Amino acid sequence: MRIAVLGATGPSGIQVVKEALQRGHEVRAIVRNPDKLVEKHDKLQVVKANIFDPDTMVPHLKGQDAVLSCLGCSPSWFSIWNITFYTDTVKPVVTALRRADVKRFIFMSSWYTKTDSQDPFFMTWLLKPLVLGQSLKNMGEMEDYLATECPDIEYTSVRAPQLSNSETTGKPVQFKEGQDVASSGRFICCRRDVARFMLDAAESGNFKRKCMAIASG
Ligand SMILES: NC(=O)c1ccc[n+]([C@@H]2O[C@H](COP(=O)([O-])OP(=O)(O)OC[C@H]3O[C@@H](n4cnc5c(N)ncnc54)[C@H](OP(=O)(O)O)[C@@H]3O)[C@@H](O)[C@H]2O)c1
């Protein structure tokens, strides 16, 4: 397959690039700073674009079978209550996908993007009020935008719990449609397993227009 990766210079994005290359795909990393991506491979092309400007992305998206996004922002303590990064970026990306005639879009988000009476205590009373609330809310708004305003986009939201850089055990990734897979007893996902799940979804065509919570097996 021809796979384009957004956020390829980040710690999850580079794992997606490596996993896709290992599976034999042709990979196009669309980044803002090509010098930052040191990975070299015959089937890897690194190109520069501005994620907020569809005109710069369209030529690089044309002919791609799927776009996998690991974009994320690292807000300072002063800006954590004002995060709009996810909706600000998904809109120009969708415009570019449409203009390039690419339908398949698989992106990272998080467990608990929606508020639910079933949320665990620590999420409702600690993490959301203290740090993660606006970030998760904005990821939920990104999911809502795709669900309600983009019927033509075959998206999959890959909802991760806390990420780690540990190696994959190689066991099957746990997944469930919904807010979490806490019932599996697994509350962490290594970034390589995120990459494995995203590539599995791209190759199989499964989980279209769904929000899938995952965790390492
Ligand atoms: N950390 C966790 O435990 C956790 C848990 C659940 C979900 N998530 C979500 O998972 C995703 C990946 O997280 P991560 O920690 O692996 O990666 P990350 O550090 O959030 O990676 C950010 C990536 O996005 C790119 N990016 C940011 N702003 C950009 C801009 N204005 N233009 C172009 N590219 C931009 C960065 O490019 P540069 O390298 O050029 O800066 C980098 O490649 C994020 O959406 C995060 O919120 C994280």
Side-chain angles (χ1 to χ4, degrees):
M1 292 178 77
R2 281 165 297 186
I3 305 269
V5 183
L6 307 179
T9 49
S12 297
I14 191 62
Q15 295 300 328
V16 170
V17 168
K18 288 179 178 174
E19 181 72 20
L21 290 170
Q22 198 171 302
R23 295 182 185 208
H25 298 298
E26 286 179 37
V27 180
R28 183 171 291 170
I30 302 176
V31 300
R32 59 177 163 179
N33 181 4
D35 293 340
K36 203 171 166 185
L37 216 163
V38 292
E39 189 80 9
K40 300 272 181 258
H41 194 285
D42 290 348
K43 290 190 167 183
L44 173 63
Q45 190 187 16
V46 183
V47 297
K48 182 173 176 167
N50 176 355
I51 207 72
F52 298 102
D53 180 358
D55 285 346
T56 66
M57 281 187 282
V58 172
H60 302 308
L61 293 180
K62 279 190 176 153
Q64 299 299 305
D65 297 307
V67 175
L68 276 52
S69 173
C70 301
L71 287 170
C73 63
S74 307
S76 68
W77 276 104
F78 300 105
S79 59
I80 55 170
W81 298 112
N82 197 25
I83 295 169
T84 56
F85 177 84
Y86 297 96
T87 43
D88 288 348
T89 51
V90 76
K91 291 173 185 176
V93 168
V94 165
T95 300
L97 290 171
R98 285 176 171 150
R99 283 167 49 189
D101 200 22
V102 178
K103 298 210 176 317
R104 191 73 172 113
F105 179 49
I106 301 169
F107 62 93
M108 286 183 73
S109 78
S110 177
W111 286 17
Y112 307 123
T113 56
K114 299 295 162 61
T115 298
D116 190 314
S117 58
Q118 303 295 312
D119 285 355
F121 176 87
F122 69 92
M123 186 51 68
T124 305
W125 298 105
L126 291 172
L127 292 179
K128 279 192 176 178
L130 291 178
V131 266
L132 294 178
Q134 178 57 23
S135 181
L136 294 174
K137 179 169 172 279
N138 193 233
M139 286 187 201
E141 289 163 350
M142 167 174 65
E143 294 172 340
D144 290 345
Y145 171 74
L146 284 154
T148 58
E149 296 189 44
C150 308
D152 52 326
I153 302 295
E154 296 171 344
Y155 71 87
T156 302
S157 174
V158 178
R159 293 173 163 175
Q162 186 183 342
L163 297 170
S164 86
N165 290 324
S166 57
E167 238 330 303
T168 176
T169 61
K171 290 181 185 167
V173 177
Q174 304 288 309
F175 63 87
K176 184 165 74 75
E177 188 175 3
Q179 288 264 75
D180 65 33
V181 280
S183 56
S184 70
R186 308 288 298 169
F187 298 88
I188 287 184
C189 196
C190 71
R191 288 181 165 93
R192 193 56 179 252
D193 284 346
V194 176
R196 289 170 64 206
F197 186 82
M198 291 177 90
L199 265 301
D200 286 349
E203 290 168 354
S204 66
N206 289 339
F207 316 124
K208 285 180 182 167
R209 299 191 63 77
K210 291 185 191 299
C211 297
M212 304 301 300
I214 66 167
S216 286

